[in-house]
Amino acid sequence: MPRYDLVEDLRQCANQLDEELSVLQQQLTSLPLLVGRVFSLPPVAKGAEHDPIAQISVTQHLGDEARQLALQHYCRLFIQRQSENISTKAAVRLPGALCFEADSHQHALLHQQIDKINLLKARLEQIITVESGLPSEARFEFVHTHLRGLLTLNAYRAITLLDAPDSVRFGWANKHIIKNVTPQEIVAKLEKSLKAGRAQAPWTREQWAEKVQQELIAVQSLPAGAKLKIKRPVKVQPIARIWDKEQQKQTQLACPSPLLVLCPDRQQVPVLGELINYDAENITHRYKPQADPLWLLIPRLHLYCDRPVSSV
């Protein structure tokens, strides 16, 4: 059971984050908006969190409407602030950007406020995922016992502040998380699962233990020198490509929330691109290097081998 002072730290951190987001909302409401463009995406319904995504329709919002949607988005920390039909396991995404005119004093205040907010977000995640000492499956109950309705995905997500780039263009990323692992690491993971004695639906405890045992034998039977790789697909996500002409440099960022852009000169406003609808059947890759062949070994772990094997 987490200690009392940890729970108190959790509540204080969440309350302070909520207060600082309200301060940010006031600051951004008072600043002159030069251009705003955000793109709302269809909400994820409860029960549909793991459905494959083939298409995403985008709705564009401009100007003050974009600003209002962005401010609401930044402050959405609790379930009570969104429809009960929307999944709480999938973060609500609102890609886009807001460009504000800001003098040196306003510029400094905004940077201080964003830094403060992002530190609180990181602190909240640290309390929940590390200091609580709880495994991932136990964190939901812990969080919702002490902070009912907290949307952790929204709460953890940092706000990005940029200083007058030349352009901000938007697109989609559909990638994999790839990690090299050793057979010994996988064996240790599977043995730990066996010792835990738990089951995963729809299997009984005995069926699950048999399944894990088969996976263990498959890994232990690999020939010497076999290389293993975890290749886990990441759901498609909106991205922003930031271009800095002076440095001749492009930076790509995940863009689940509107980017904030500060401009000292209203005559030099960044070009904001458009986010088009996502269609998995019509993806054009600028450059896709030829990957080495891999064979699926353990589907549930997204575990692949560099030589032909039979999946278990």
Side-chain angles (χ1 to χ4, degrees):
M1 177 64 68
R3 63 185 191 273
Y4 174 79
D5 55 349
L6 182 76
V7 173
E8 188 60 27
D9 287 348
L10 175 68
R11 288 176 174 155
Q12 286 184 1
C13 186
N15 289 338
Q16 189 177 355
L17 175 59
D18 207 15
E19 292 170 2
E20 298 300 343
L21 285 168
S22 294
V23 172
L24 176 65
Q25 189 174 38
Q26 294 168 15
Q27 290 175 314
L28 296 180
T29 300
S30 65
L31 283 180
L33 178 66
L34 299 178
V35 60
R37 177 178 260 186
V38 302
F39 309 94
S40 57
L41 313 181
V44 178
K46 287 184 177 179
E49 297 88 359
H50 303 295
D51 291 355
I53 299 173
Q55 293 183 325
I56 300 176
S57 297
V58 174
T59 302
Q60 179 177 253
H61 308 272
L62 302 172
D64 281 329
E65 182 188 12
R67 169 160 47 185
Q68 289 306 314
L69 288 173
L71 297 182
Q72 292 169 14
H73 180 79
Y74 295 141
C75 296
R76 187 183 288 113
L77 295 182
F78 294 91
I79 293 170
Q80 296 87 331
R81 298 176 192 173
Q82 70 178 34
S83 168
E84 61 182 21
N85 296 320
I86 298 176
S87 170
T88 58
K89 297 179 182 178
V92 177
R93 297 174 298 179
L94 186 73
L98 301 176
C99 301
F100 294 94
E101 183 181 14
D103 60 29
S104 58
H105 177 66
Q106 293 165 330
H107 177 278
L109 289 178
L110 257 297
H111 271 273
Q112 290 172 11
Q113 189 63 21
I114 296 296
D115 287 346
K116 190 183 301 183
I117 287 169
N118 287 340
L119 283 172
L120 286 168
K121 285 173 170 286
R123 174 65 183 143
L124 190 68
E125 184 174 10
Q126 171 79 8
I127 292 171
I128 293 171
T129 62
V130 178
E131 294 182 18
S132 70
L134 297 171
S136 56
E137 61 271 15
R139 291 173 198 155
F140 181 88
E141 183 178 353
F142 166 64
V143 170
H144 290 276
T145 296
H146 304 293
L147 282 176
R148 186 169 181 80
L150 181 72
L151 297 166
T152 52
L153 291 174
N154 294 35
Y156 296 165
R157 197 160 48 193
I159 297 174
T160 300
L161 181 62
L162 303 173
D163 292 324
D166 292 284
S167 68
V168 180
R169 304 188 186 279
F170 303 97
W172 298 98
N174 200 345
K175 299 182 179 181
H176 289 79
I177 293 176
I178 299 176
K179 178 184 178 183
N180 293 319
V181 291
T182 65
Q184 292 77 15
E185 288 174 322
I186 299 301
V187 165
K189 180 182 180 72
L190 295 173
E191 288 178 341
K192 183 178 179 180
S193 179
L194 276 177
K195 290 178 182 177
R198 300 191 183 96
Q200 287 192 18
W203 292 277
T204 64
R205 186 173 299 181
E206 292 75 18
Q207 289 171 333
W208 182 251
E210 183 179 351
K211 178 178 175 62
V212 175
Q213 188 65 51
Q214 290 172 351
E215 295 170 345
L216 189 56
I217 292 171
V219 176
Q220 291 172 330
S221 301
L222 290 172
K227 295 181 180 178
L228 296 178
K229 195 180 294 274
I230 290 175
K231 186 179 178 183
R232 180 179 291 109
V234 177
K235 282 191 176 182
V236 61
Q237 60 176 322
I239 58 167
R241 298 184 183 93
I242 317 301
W243 174 248
D244 186 310
K245 185 178 180 180
E246 184 176 335
Q247 298 185 39
Q248 288 292 295
K249 179 181 178 182
Q250 177 175 278
T251 304
Q252 182 170 298
L253 302 173
C255 191
S257 301
L259 306 175
L260 294 176
V261 179
L262 299 184
C263 305
D265 185 352
R266 62 169 49 237
Q267 302 303 319
Q268 295 181 346
V269 179
V271 174
L272 295 190
E274 185 177 356
L275 181 66
I276 63 172
N277 295 342
Y278 172 75
D279 185 350
E281 297 297 320
N282 292 291
I283 297 176
T284 301
H285 295 280
R286 293 183 178 179
Y287 171 68
K288 190 174 183 180
Q290 186 67 37
D292 294 330
L294 294 171
W295 285 265
L296 186 60
L297 179 60
I298 303 179
R300 73 178 182 89
L301 297 180
H302 305 283
L303 183 68
Y304 292 78
C305 187
D306 68 341
R307 58 197 68 192
V309 292
S310 297
S311 64
V312 292

